[in-house]
Amino acid sequence: MSEEFVVTPWEVRGRVDYSKLINQFGLQLLTDELLERLRKHTGDLHLMLRRRIFFAHRSLDWLLSEYEKGNMFYLYTGRGPSEHIHLGHLVPFILTKWLQEKFGAKLYVQITDDEKFLFKPLSYEQVRKYAYDNVLDIIALGFDPEKTRIFLDTEYAKTLYREAIKVAKKITYSTIRAAFGLGESSNIGQIFFTSMQAVPAILESVKQGRNVPCLIPLAVDQDPHFRVARDVLPKLGFYKPAIIHAKFLPSLTGEAKMSSSEAEAAIFTVDSPEDVKKKIWNAFTGGQPTIKEQREKGGNPEICSVYQYFYFLFEPDDRKVRELYFKCKQGEVVCGDCKAELANRVIAFLEEHQKKREEARDLVDKFMLRD
Ligand code: TRP
């Protein structure tokens, strides 16, 4: 029996079947062959690539061909500031940072304060507060201050709006209705918004007055925006942006995506060690109800949120993550031990991150673009 799932930029629901999503969205699978081609330029592959946490792409082969011809690309990603940042939100940013390091690429980070105001029941002041809060987390990841520029849509509006209207003029209401499920009762800001998200994909080309290839690492729910953008931008004389798509870090309650609407299901970057311990202790696992049964029957790492956290972020060694998988299946490890180990690693990560997050306060103005 196949379970229902929904993936749109505004909603992710159910257990996502990523191979079905590739067909639904018309994505290309990230193949061994393509990753090998990437590795020729980077020397190694980030664990999120090796483990296929990034699992799909659009035009990455084209982007690499351009790069091999000496046509350097830039990176673009973004964040909708509707709450604190949790570990799931970090996934695309972590790979973006790695790509920036490996290629020395320039990066634009779009903070869509306009989007979250238009789509969420939040005041503009709340959204703005989260925007600057979230910027600290992004800077804390260690992006190159010389090569990285971050902007809020409302603070870089003169530059963005002039390009957004050109995009908007090429998109009809019926395209938006079909691509996003928006309709007659959606507010008109929502209908316009995708043209704002498209602009950073051409921003470097606009600035340089020539076409510059663009690579966008994102969580797969953002793909519909760029499906529309990839149709429109060539009509304006620009390249289609290339994209690599990430899966969602599962929620601690076992849902498909770590949703911040349930605070217990997500670990936020501002959480205390006590919060982390409590949340992981209550996490959904693939374990048996008793230790005796766990020893006899073994657990199920496939459905275990604790295992997924090791797999996505907290066990860098491929051999060890595989070992954990088999030890769990054979009942050699019990959930309590796994949870305690994960909590230690998350706490250590957050301690370091929170320190850098405080240091980031002094760097904000260096990173921000305003006009
Ligand atoms: N809409 C995204 C969000 O809600 C933010 C965003 C803007 C983005 N531009 C992007 C995400 C480009 C990935 C890539 O989080």
Side-chain angles (χ1 to χ4, degrees), residues 67 242 266 299 304:
Y67 178 76
C304 177

Side-chain angles (χ1 to χ4, degrees), residues 76-80 110 112 115-116 197 216-218 222 226:
Y76 157 40
T77 191
R79 161 74 191 149
Q110 177 179 43
T112 53
E115 174 192 15
K116 293 299 148 172
Q197 188 152 326
I216 312 174
L218 46 68
Q222 295 299 310
F226 297 106

Side-chain angles (χ1 to χ4, degrees), residues 118-304:
L118 290 165
F119 281 89
K120 298 267 176 174
L122 296 169
S123 70
Y124 180 69
E125 288 64 36
Q126 287 171 305
V127 169
R128 189 181 173 80
K129 194 173 81 31
Y130 282 125
Y132 274 97
D133 166 274
N134 293 179
V135 163
L136 298 179
D137 287 295
I138 294 166
I139 294 174
L141 293 177
F143 291 104
D144 181 342
E146 303 305 324
K147 295 201 161 128
T148 305
R149 291 295 172 264
I150 307 174
F151 52 84
L152 271 56
D153 281 348
T154 59
E155 288 188 347
Y156 200 43
K158 270 189 226 165
T159 304
L160 298 176
Y161 188 67
R162 194 170 53 213
E163 306 311 317
I165 56 173
K166 298 174 192 166
V167 176
K169 198 172 180 176
K170 299 277 185 220
I171 305 176
T172 64
Y173 173 56
S174 69
T175 297
I176 293 303
R177 200 172 40 191
F180 299 104
L182 296 172
E184 303 291 332
S185 62
S186 306
N187 73 56
I188 60 175
Q190 295 178 340
I191 311 294
F192 174 76
F193 171 71
T194 198
S195 27
M196 290 296 284
Q197 188 152 326
V199 172
I202 55 170
L203 192 54
E204 193 57 18
S205 302
V206 170
K207 286 185 189 229
Q208 293 197 20
R210 65 177 185 98
N211 265 332
V212 185
C214 175
L215 174 60
I216 312 174
L218 46 68
V220 66
D221 61 330
Q222 295 299 310
D223 183 74
H225 285 298
F226 297 106
R227 207 148 68 216
V228 173
R230 282 167 52 91
D231 276 347
V232 171
L233 298 178
K235 297 181 190 162
L236 298 171
F238 297 103
Y239 292 139
K240 294 179 185 206
I243 306 173
I244 39 174
H245 305 79
K247 297 178 184 172
F248 308 113
L249 178 66
S251 120
L252 288 171
T253 57
E255 288 305 310
K257 184 189 176 195
M258 192 192 258
S259 150
S260 4
S261 33
E262 331 155 65
E264 294 309 300
I267 293 169
F268 294 89
T269 61
V270 294
D271 279 352
S272 69
E274 292 68 42
D275 296 330
V276 172
K277 277 187 207 148
K278 196 171 93 217
K279 288 178 185 185
I280 293 180
W281 196 251
N282 292 325
F284 172 81
T285 72
Q288 302 292 346
T290 66
I291 292 188
K292 184 165 174 286
E293 283 175 87
Q294 175 82 3
R295 296 279 184 218
E296 284 165 14
K297 300 182 194 158
N300 183 359
E302 317 271 0
I303 60 163
C304 177

